[in-house]
Amino acid sequence: AASTLAWAADDVVISSDESRTSGKITQITPSEITVERGGVEKTLAVNEVDYVIFGDEPSLLRGVRRACNTGHYDEAIEALDRINAEEVERDEVKQDLQYYRALALSRAAISAGDAEKIAEAGKMLFAFLKANSRSYHFYDGCELLGDLLIASGKPAAAQQFYSQVAKAPWPDYQMRAGVAVGRALLSSGKPDEAL
């Protein structure tokens, strides 16, 4: 009965154009999310997904996403602290909790310019990416880790993560990665390579 209840509410994928696709998420990769409804599957490209609401997620997670999307990272961290992650059973929801905590801590640390917090956030985000290489947050996480490494004065290491973003199948991500690698090379004193 518990597994039936876990899927009682639909998962909802909110696209960048604010359209909604609801049903049961059957597959997640770094580049696609597949949703099944009534025996019909629809596959959505991650670069067109704004966020995902899992049917069985803690209600506070929606507020966390909103806070992160509007730059209120301290508010997101406070909400995350009120969620009992041990009560969460679904792996995808656990991944979202981990990712949004790493995102909020990373952006807050970069904004504050706090080297110690940047290092802590970087370790957390690296651990997330290592453990969740199939997450739909993978490319954004790699870009954010690159930003953390730039903020900590390690542009050569940042290039490694920006290069992962360049492997995404979408031109907009490839272009962002190219610009980020160029900036990293400039920070390393390599203007010819940056060009």
Side-chain angles (χ1 to χ4, degrees), residues 69-120:
N69 287 339
T70 57
H72 295 99
Y73 302 113
D74 291 336
E75 186 180 312
I77 294 165
E78 288 173 19
L80 284 161
D81 288 343
R82 295 195 318 261
I83 296 172
N84 184 351
E86 291 180 16
E87 292 179 359
V88 175
E89 293 181 16
R90 190 170 173 191
D91 288 341
E92 295 90 347
V93 177
K94 289 178 185 178
Q95 288 175 11
D96 256 23
L97 290 171
Q98 293 166 3
Y99 176 74
Y100 282 107
R101 180 174 296 281
L103 170 67
L105 290 171
S106 297
R107 289 291 174 213
I110 290 171
S111 178
D114 185 322
E116 188 175 313
K117 288 183 179 178
I118 288 171
E120 288 173 24

Side-chain angles (χ1 to χ4, degrees), residues 157-170:
Q159 290 177 57
Q160 171 188 352
F161 293 96
Y162 292 144
S163 295
Q164 289 296 316
V165 180
K167 294 176 184 175
W170 317 291

Side-chain angles (χ1 to χ4, degrees), residues 122-141:
K123 287 176 188 172
M124 180 182 290
L125 187 56
F126 180 77
F128 171 83
L129 292 170
K130 187 174 180 182
N132 301 289
S133 62
R134 303 280 302 158
S135 168
Y136 72 101
H137 295 296
F138 181 76
Y139 292 121
D140 289 335

Side-chain angles (χ1 to χ4, degrees), residues 138-160:
F138 181 76
Y139 292 121
D140 289 335
C142 284
E143 183 176 18
L144 180 55
L145 188 51
D147 294 347
L148 285 165
L149 288 163
I150 291 289
S152 64
K154 299 175 183 170
Q159 290 177 57
Q160 171 188 352

